[in-house]
Amino acid sequence: MWKWKGEYSINYLVSSIPNSHPDSPPLLLVHGFGASIPHWRRNIGTLAKSYTVYAIDLLGFGASDKPAGYSYTMEAWAQLILDFLDEVVQKPTVLIGNSVGSLACVIAASESSQTLVRGLVLLNCAGGMNNKAIVDDWRIKLLLPLLWFIDFLLKQRPIASAIFERVKQRETLGNILLSIYANKESVDETLVEVLIFSTYMALDAFVSIVTGPPGPNPVQLMPSISIPVLVLWGDEDPFTPLDGPVGKYFSSLPSKLSNVKLIVWME
């Protein structure tokens, strides 16, 4: 545990093989919505053979504190990441984020110098804390009335609590995962257990992500970032599809920015 701002306990993991890679930069893994450190379980061991690997539970998720009434925002998570690098890692670090974790890493990199952030790896980077940020996608425009109605419902505490408890049930989680994962074989008991643990996030964090302001847009942030950036994209992501505005934007970056490389994973 690390104490953030002297107040909040933040859970993290560090894994490495002593003295095996003294010149390699450390890595920090940042999970996405509804996830936590165990979501990286298949990556940490492999990466730790060549790097010192840190993974963190963002405030409101996993085993980190879940302060009631806290205002969960992308900017707050980005600041947490920068403070963790400054106080714990204390070396220029490559940030590896998934979904909204990627966006938090982009915000952190845009606000930091290379003394803290040495590079970025973005896995299907989100365009905002929620899809209401993606205003130029016909799919989102079609769903906007429903999204606003869901916002209204979730701002009613008893309704939000009931929905939250329903989402945390094993059968519900399994069905959600099957609708998200292109490779259905990846949805096994271990993954469900990981997500059951991960969904013990704060109700306030759940509501903030779904109903709150989307936060800074990566389209405005990426041109200001000069460090190396590796963009990884799964071509069957239903939330940030490659043919959506965010996917198209990141696909176009290598032709515009020399520090960006794109790899598309075909399932």
Side-chain angles (χ1 to χ4, degrees), residues 2-15:
W2 161 63
K3 213 71 169 174
W4 184 41
K5 297 185 175 181
E7 185 176 1
Y8 306 116
S9 293
I10 302 299
N11 182 52
Y12 74 95
L13 172 149
V14 58
S15 179

Side-chain angles (χ1 to χ4, degrees), residues 219-262:
V219 174
Q220 275 78 53
L221 300 177
M222 287 301 298
S224 68
I225 294 174
S226 58
I227 56 176
V229 180
L230 174 60
V231 178
L232 305 177
W233 216 277
D235 71 327
E236 295 193 39
D237 185 341
F239 291 132
T240 49
L242 194 61
D243 65 346
V246 180
K248 287 180 179 177
Y249 171 72
F250 277 98
S251 297
S252 72
L253 280 184
S255 64
K256 301 174 182 177
L257 301 174
S258 60
N259 60 312
V260 178
K261 179 180 179 181
L262 170 71

Side-chain angles (χ1 to χ4, degrees), residues 54-144:
Y54 293 83
I56 194 171
D57 284 341
L58 295 173
L59 188 72
F61 295 90
S64 290
D65 276 354
K66 304 165 184 65
Y70 186 86
S71 179
Y72 294 92
T73 64
M74 293 306 311
E75 294 91 335
W77 285 319
Q79 189 58 54
L80 186 156
I81 291 168
L82 290 175
D83 291 343
F84 183 81
L85 297 182
D86 185 43
E87 297 178 21
V88 180
V89 183
Q90 298 183 342
K91 289 181 179 179
T93 302
V94 175
L95 302 180
I96 304 176
N98 178 48
S99 186
V100 292
S102 278
L103 180 56
C105 291
V106 170
I107 298 168
S110 71
E111 297 177 352
S112 171
S113 66
Q114 292 189 28
T115 58
L116 285 181
V117 182
R118 182 168 170 175
L120 286 174
V121 180
L122 309 176
L123 285 70
N124 288 56
C125 185
M129 192 161 70
N130 49 58
N131 277 340
K132 291 190 293 296
I134 317 303
V135 295
D136 52 350
D137 187 336
W138 66 268
R139 288 163 287 206
I140 301 302
K141 287 181 179 178
L142 193 64
L143 291 173
L144 263 180

Side-chain angles (χ1 to χ4, degrees), residues 161-223:
S161 182
I163 294 173
F164 187 55
E165 291 303 316
R166 176 69 177 174
V167 168
K168 287 162 59 174
Q169 294 179 11
R170 178 183 296 274
E171 182 179 354
T172 305
L173 267 178
N175 290 334
I176 292 172
L177 291 169
L178 285 170
S179 70
I180 294 171
Y181 275 67
N183 181 1
K184 308 305 179 186
E185 294 180 2
S186 295
V187 183
D188 55 15
E189 283 300 311
T190 302
L191 179 64
V192 174
E193 287 296 329
V194 166
L195 269 294
I196 287 175
F197 168 75
S198 301
T199 53
Y200 286 100
M201 58 177 165
L203 173 59
D204 291 330
F206 172 75
V207 173
S208 290
I209 288 179
V210 177
T211 69
N217 190 317
V219 174
Q220 275 78 53
L221 300 177
M222 287 301 298

